[in-house]
Amino acid sequence: MGMNDLPSDISWNVFSRLDVDSVLDCKLFCKPWRNLIKNPSFARMHLARRKLMLQKPDEDDIQDLSTNACDTAQLGFLCLQRIDYESHDARLHFVECNMDTEKKAYAVKCKTINIPPINNFNGDASTINSCNGLICSTIRHHRLNDPIHIYNPVTREYVYLPRYTSEDKGGASRMKCGFGYSPSTDEYKVVRIFYKHLGDRRWWFQVYTLGSESNKWTAEKETPYPLFHNGCRYSKGVLVNGDIHWLDNASKIVAFNLADDEFHYIPSPPLVEGSTCGKSLSVLGNWLCFVHHKSDKMNKNTHVDIWLLKKNNDINVQQNGTCNWNKEFTVQAETSISLTPLAFTTKGKVLFWQDREFVSCYDPKTAVLEKLSKGEDDYKVSLNSYEATPHINSFISLKALGVKKCRRRLQYKGK
């Protein structure tokens, strides 16, 4: 019996364990394989396996690994790098890393993604969002960074959403965006939040559902409370369990539920409210992660607290004002550092993007943070950029989602 004679569910099980490049090679082998891989059910299965690799392994799984087993990890993230400082335009790169923490090294692949240049005016860090392999980027017009471009570099499908227009005299400014997937409604949505110059400091929002029959943004609605003020325009939206999360200027967590299009507050970890300086949100494993950098200038060192919210999708927990925040560990360093959590390794260590330049590994058991070295052929690949967004390549198809007028372009500009 050959591979072509296997039942489709067995073939999917085999193909779903391969990386994206290997699956693309298989897609070219024969027509039956191509049809299997083009099935939307395969795209969901392959994505689920890739996401499972990023979750924190159970203690039983770690103990089952032999002492000689390699501690490895595969991760990808999007990096923004400036084209020039006069125009504020930036390129988007996909960086893929294969880690071997035992050898304290990693191999790097970097590709420039073929999308319109991104304008990072005023250093706004909310210009890129990634969800299940789909990239939502902004295009600047009328002094707004508007989230109107969706692209999958694997399927090469892209679509432009209707751009923002307003009949109000004051217009909109300080536009923020979030992009995500709601498991309960099986929908991909984009939300844009903006300030309008109407003299009363109010914030408004609109929602766009990919594949909706209307092909329009919802009507403008006022947010239930002043969400962001001035300081939060640099906060990046973080998607976890169907909610997009931001930090407001008091370090409170604002969440937008993609199922019901409603805002709510989530309590921050204990004793962290106040100025947003040194604080950020990210996703680690499948949990919302709160990162708090605390610098001790007198002793010239830095403490970085890592908190994980393991039950942030429990509505009852949110409503009664308490959350199950766990302080996982505190990273200590003798010099000032910047750490962005990326992923877990197979033995439960944590990979960080450090100082916006390289990858480091932290072992919670030994409390040691070590810089990982690039491979001998990888030093020409620069990771230095001002924003890193975790990204998983996938076969999620815009056309299969019902998106109208989606087109195709070249996958990457170059390696």
Side-chain angles (χ1 to χ4, degrees):
M1 178 182 292
M3 279 289 291
N4 289 344
D5 300 320
L6 292 175
S8 59
D9 57 340
I10 296 179
S11 299
W12 282 350
N13 193 16
V14 174
F15 291 141
S16 66
R17 299 175 186 273
L18 301 176
D19 60 74
V20 166
D21 291 337
S22 298
V23 174
L24 291 175
D25 290 339
C26 293
K27 188 178 179 181
L28 299 175
F29 183 75
C30 63
K31 188 174 181 179
W33 286 11
R34 183 186 65 185
N35 291 337
L36 282 174
I37 293 170
K38 289 176 62 176
N39 191 303
S41 297
F42 170 76
R44 291 191 290 269
M45 179 184 290
H46 185 271
L47 175 64
R49 288 197 183 278
R50 305 303 294 179
K51 295 175 75 172
L52 188 63
M53 295 172 60
L54 299 177
Q55 294 184 15
K56 184 178 181 180
D58 294 333
E59 293 297 328
D60 293 340
D61 295 334
I62 297 175
Q63 292 176 2
D64 289 341
L65 292 174
S66 66
T67 55
N68 296 326
C70 294
D71 188 20
T72 60
Q74 292 182 338
L75 62 94
F77 51 96
L78 304 172
C79 280
L80 273 177
Q81 292 184 313
R82 290 190 186 278
I83 297 175
D84 60 72
Y85 284 87
E86 293 183 0
S87 67
H88 301 285
D89 284 346
R91 293 189 184 95
L92 184 64
H93 303 279
F94 173 62
V95 179
E96 191 172 27
C97 300
N98 291 311
M99 310 287 175
D100 187 339
T101 59
E102 302 295 336
K103 296 181 180 180
K104 301 179 182 179
Y106 59 96
V108 183
K109 294 181 181 178
C110 183
K111 298 179 180 180
T112 302
I113 296 179
N114 189 14
I115 64 174
I118 298 167
N119 189 285
N120 197 58
F121 186 74
N122 285 338
D124 193 344
S126 61
T127 53
I128 286 294
N129 290 272
S130 172
C131 175
N132 294 347
L134 302 179
I135 300 171
C136 176
S137 59
T138 60
I139 295 179
R140 190 164 181 82
H141 65 89
H142 296 84
R143 297 183 296 177
L144 293 174
N145 283 336
D146 196 1
I148 60 175
H149 186 266
I150 309 291
Y151 180 51
N152 185 332
V154 175
T155 66
R156 298 183 294 157
E157 296 170 330
Y158 72 96
V159 66
Y160 289 96
L161 307 185
R163 74 180 190 180
Y164 177 80
T165 59
S166 175
E167 298 179 357
D168 294 323
K169 183 180 296 186
S173 67
R174 301 176 187 169
M175 184 170 285
K176 303 177 61 63
C177 68
F179 174 53
Y181 172 73
S182 171
S184 61
T185 61
D186 192 26
E187 293 176 321
Y188 288 84
K189 293 184 178 182
V190 184
V191 56
R192 59 185 178 195
I193 309 165
F194 44 91
Y195 174 83
K196 298 180 73 170
H197 297 288
L198 301 177
D200 51 4
R201 298 183 176 274
R202 289 186 292 173
W203 288 83
W204 303 74
F205 74 97
Q206 291 178 293
V207 180
Y208 188 97
T209 302
L210 295 186
S212 62
E213 294 184 359
S214 66
N215 195 34
K216 296 180 180 179
W217 293 86
T218 60
E220 295 181 8
K221 293 183 180 180
E222 187 178 355
T223 59
Y225 28 70
L227 292 178
F228 300 124
H229 308 289
N230 292 328
C232 195
R233 59 179 175 173
Y234 302 104
S235 174
K236 186 175 181 63
V238 175
L239 173 71
V240 181
N241 294 328
D243 280 15
I244 304 174
H245 306 80
W246 297 270
L247 280 179
D248 71 5
N249 68 335
S251 296
K252 294 181 180 179
I253 300 173
V254 179
F256 181 79
N257 185 270
L258 292 170
D260 56 20
D261 295 348
E262 296 288 342
F263 288 94
H264 57 269
Y265 273 123
I266 294 178
S268 300
L271 305 177
V272 299
E273 293 187 359
S275 171
T276 58
C277 181
K279 301 167 187 175
S280 62
L281 296 177
S282 64
V283 57
L284 184 58
N286 196 32
W287 301 313
L288 183 65
C289 180
F290 193 106
V291 184
H292 188 188
H293 290 76
K294 296 180 289 186
S295 298
D296 187 343
K297 296 182 179 180
M298 182 173 296
N299 297 318
K300 297 182 179 180
N301 58 28
T302 301
H303 301 260
V304 183
D305 292 335
I306 305 296
W307 298 77
L308 293 181
L309 181 55
K310 297 188 177 181
K311 291 185 178 180
N312 64 313
N313 59 333
D314 187 337
I315 300 299
N316 293 326
V317 171
Q318 296 170 5
Q319 289 179 344
N320 65 25
T322 61
C323 283
N324 187 27
W325 285 104
N326 292 339
K327 183 186 284 189
E328 294 295 300
F329 49 82
T330 297
V331 181
Q332 299 187 23
E334 294 181 357
T335 58
S336 177
I337 59 173
S338 171
L339 293 176
T340 301
L342 295 175
F344 289 103
T345 70
T346 53
K347 291 189 177 180
K349 298 177 183 178
V350 183
L351 298 174
F352 289 95
W353 188 48
Q354 183 172 339
D355 297 333
R356 301 182 176 183
E357 187 173 3
F358 57 87
V359 178
S360 61
C361 180
Y362 179 78
D363 188 345
K365 294 182 179 179
T366 62
V368 174
L369 178 71
E370 292 183 300
K371 176 182 177 180
L372 302 183
S373 301
K374 297 181 186 178
E376 294 182 0
D377 298 329
D378 298 322
Y379 275 96
K380 61 183 178 181
V381 178
S382 173
L383 301 184
N384 190 12
S385 65
Y386 50 84
E387 181 177 345
T389 302
H391 176 76
I392 304 174
N393 274 335
S394 80
F395 295 93
I396 298 297
S397 168
L398 291 174
K399 185 177 180 180
L401 294 176
V403 175
K404 301 176 182 178
K405 297 182 180 179
C406 69
R407 292 174 282 181
R408 289 164 64 89
R409 66 158 60 99
L410 293 177
Q411 184 177 19
Y412 297 107
K413 290 182 178 178
K415 296 184 178 181

